[in-house]
Amino acid sequence: MERTLCLFLLLCTVASVAAVGGTNSNFTPGGMSWSSATEEPDLASPDESDSDGGFSSMDSMLQWAISHSDPEQLKESAQAQQQISPIELQKRQMEIKEIMDKMKVPSDAELMKISISDLNNISLSLEDRYRALHELLELVEPIDNANDLNKLGGLLAVTRELNHSDSGIRTLAAWILGKASQNNPVVQQQVLELRVLSRLMDMVKSNSVEEANKALHAISALIRNNLASHELFYAEAGGLMLQGILKDAKLDIRLRRKAVLLLTDLAEYQLENVDRDEPPFFNDKNLLKSVVDLTASTYLDLQEKALVAIKSLLQLRTTEALLFKDFCALDDALNRMKQLLLDLMVEESQRDYVVDVESLRIEVVNIFHRKLAKQ
C-alpha cells in the first residue's frame, strides 16, 4: 500500500516537475533535495522494483516512474498539474521522503548482526535458525562481508552450528564457512584458529550426502593455497580421508569429484613450492592406485579430473614411475581410456570435449614415459 501511494505521489510530482520545465532528479524547489544515485546507490534494478527490496533512493524511484510512464499520459498529467502551488508540490515531496525513509533497506552489516544475534539465541526455533543461516550464506558472498563476519562474532556463531543435532543445520554452517573462506587468506586463518578442520573431516563421513559434500567443500576452501592448513590437513590424516573417498565407488559422484580436485590442488601447490618437502602421502601406493582406477569410471568428467590429478602427481619429485607402472597399472588404464575415447568420438554432441580429454591423456602418457626413462 505504501509503495502504491508513493508511486502515485511520485508520478504526480513528476508531472508537476515536467509542467514547470523538466524532470531533473535533483530538482529542489523550496530548498528540498532529492537523493542522487551517487549519494545512495541503487539496491535494486528497475526491473526488480516490484520486489520486496523496493527502491534504494528517490532518484531510482523517479527514474523508474519516468521510464514506466506513457509519455502522452505524462504530458496530459503535467498540464493538469500546472495549477498546483509550490507549497502543495513541496508537501508531496515531503510525503514521498517520509515513505522512502520507512522503506529504507538496512545495510549488509546490519543484516548480518541480526542473523548472528539469532544464532546466538539458544531458544531460537529450528525454522528460524535455518532462516538465519540461509541469510548469512547469501551475505558472506562479497569478500568485504566475509571479512566482517569474524568482527561481528559470526564465525564463532557459525562454527558452533557444526555440532548441531540437525544435519541440515550442520550442512548450512559448513557451506557458509566454505563460501567465506574461498580464496580468502584472512578468513581461512580465522576459521583455522577456531580448530574446526577435524570436525569438518568427521562430517565428510556423514550418511547425509549434502552434509558430506558441503563439509568437503569447506575443507577444500580452507586449505587451498594455505601452507599452515596444508600441514594441519596432513597431520589430521587428510590423505587417508581422500583415499577412502576416491576408492569407494558407492559414494556420491560429487564427493568423489571434490576429492580428486582437492588432491590435484595439493599436488599443484607442491609443484609451485618446490623448495618444500613433499608429504609422504603423495607416494602412497594405495592413494595413487585409487586415482588411477578413476580412469575406468563411467563418468567422463571424473575420468578427466583423474587424468589432471595423475599429470600433477607424476611431476612430483618423490612419486615413483615404477609404482605407477607395476602397482597402479597406469599403462593399461591409459590404453583402455584411449579405446573408450575413440568410441565416444563418433557421438558428435560431445566430440569436442572428448578430443580435449584425449589430448590430455596423450600428455599424461608422455609425462609418464619420460619419468620412466629417468628412473
Side-chain angles (χ1 to χ4, degrees):
M1 180 65 184
E2 281 186 344
R3 177 171 298 168
T4 303
L5 175 60
C6 191
L7 289 176
F8 172 74
L9 290 171
L10 182 64
L11 285 172
C12 290
T13 304
V14 169
S16 301
V17 173
V20 295
T23 57
N24 187 336
S25 61
N26 290 315
F27 178 68
T28 58
M32 181 70 184
S33 177
W34 291 11
S35 299
S36 69
T38 57
E39 293 168 342
E40 187 174 356
D42 291 347
L43 296 178
S45 65
D47 291 340
E48 296 172 338
S49 56
D50 291 329
S51 69
D52 291 339
F55 299 92
S56 63
S57 68
M58 296 181 73
D59 181 68
S60 61
M61 185 178 283
L62 173 63
Q63 296 303 325
W64 185 92
I66 294 173
S67 64
H68 285 73
S69 301
D70 184 288
E72 290 301 319
Q73 291 181 354
L74 190 60
K75 181 178 179 181
E76 292 175 5
S77 181
Q79 293 172 348
Q81 298 294 324
Q82 286 182 2
Q83 303 304 317
I84 292 180
S85 67
I87 294 177
E88 180 65 20
L89 180 60
Q90 184 172 351
K91 179 182 177 182
R92 290 186 177 180
Q93 290 175 348
M94 290 294 295
E95 290 172 344
I96 293 174
K97 184 178 184 300
E98 289 175 4
I99 294 174
M100 285 297 298
D101 287 342
K102 293 180 182 179
M103 294 170 64
K104 188 173 182 180
V105 178
S107 68
D108 283 0
E110 291 169 334
L111 292 172
M112 289 169 68
K113 288 178 182 177
I114 293 171
S115 298
I116 293 166
S117 176
D118 286 344
L119 292 179
N120 288 328
N121 180 0
I122 59 174
S123 62
L124 192 71
S125 69
L126 187 63
E127 180 182 358
D128 284 338
R129 197 164 292 277
Y130 267 97
R131 173 194 49 75
L133 288 168
H134 274 294
E135 289 170 355
L136 279 180
L137 183 64
E138 295 299 321
L139 288 165
V140 299
E141 182 113 23
I143 191 169
D144 288 340
N145 288 356
N147 288 337
D148 286 341
L149 189 59
N150 191 52
K151 302 174 188 175
L152 300 173
L155 280 183
L156 184 59
V158 171
T159 54
R160 280 201 304 264
E161 301 302 311
L162 296 177
N163 296 303
H164 198 280
S165 58
D166 184 84
S167 175
I169 294 293
R170 298 194 300 268
T171 300
L172 279 169
W175 197 354
I176 291 169
L177 294 178
K179 183 176 283 191
S181 302
Q182 194 79 42
N183 301 315
N184 191 328
V186 173
V187 178
Q188 284 177 331
Q189 185 59 36
Q190 291 169 346
V191 176
L192 287 172
E193 289 174 357
L194 294 172
R195 303 181 182 277
V196 298
L197 185 58
S198 60
R199 175 61 190 140
L200 289 168
M201 291 174 69
D202 286 339
M203 289 170 60
V204 172
K205 304 170 189 174
S206 171
N207 292 327
S208 164
V209 172
E210 288 305 316
E211 181 178 344
N213 271 286
K214 291 303 185 290
L216 188 54
H217 162 70
I219 292 170
S220 299
L222 277 173
I223 70 176
R224 182 165 292 124
N225 297 324
N226 187 308
L227 179 60
S229 60
H230 282 196
E231 294 175 348
L232 183 57
F233 178 76
Y234 299 141
E236 295 283 351
L240 286 176
M241 181 195 74
L242 291 179
Q243 178 185 320
I245 296 171
L246 295 175
K247 73 177 183 180
D248 192 345
K250 299 188 297 297
L251 289 177
D252 180 67
I253 182 64
R254 293 173 296 163
L255 190 66
R256 302 180 80 205
R257 191 181 291 124
K258 284 183 174 67
V260 74
L261 286 171
L262 176 53
L263 178 61
T264 302
D265 280 347
L266 293 169
E268 290 182 348
Y269 183 82
Q270 190 65 48
L271 289 172
E272 294 168 1
N273 296 271
V274 293
D275 56 321
R276 300 192 178 277
D277 292 337
E278 293 180 0
F281 98 100
F282 279 129
N283 202 39
D284 182 282
K285 64 181 182 180
N286 294 309
L287 175 69
L288 298 179
K289 190 175 189 308
S290 67
V291 180
V292 172
D293 288 347
L294 290 179
T295 60
S297 170
T298 55
Y299 296 92
L300 184 57
D301 68 322
L302 187 54
Q303 295 180 41
E304 178 203 13
K305 288 173 175 55
L307 280 177
V308 174
I310 293 168
K311 175 184 171 182
S312 297
L313 291 166
L314 281 170
Q315 296 177 76
L316 294 173
R317 298 189 309 272
T318 57
T319 53
E320 301 174 16
L322 288 176
L323 192 58
F324 275 104
K325 183 178 186 299
D326 298 332
F327 186 79
C328 303
L330 181 56
D331 267 329
D332 293 340
L334 292 172
N335 287 332
R336 284 195 305 270
M337 197 170 184
K338 176 181 179 180
Q339 186 57 53
L340 172 67
L341 293 172
L342 286 174
D343 294 341
L344 290 175
M345 281 184 189
V346 300
E347 300 181 27
E348 187 174 352
S349 61
Q350 55 179 343
R351 185 176 299 158
D352 290 344
Y353 178 51
V354 174
V355 169
D356 290 340
V357 177
E358 170 60 10
S359 297
L360 176 60
R361 188 198 68 84
I362 293 172
E363 188 177 2
V364 171
V365 169
N366 292 334
I367 294 172
F368 177 42
H369 288 163
R370 285 198 300 268
K371 185 153 190 165
L372 271 176
K374 291 179 181 179
Q375 295 184 354

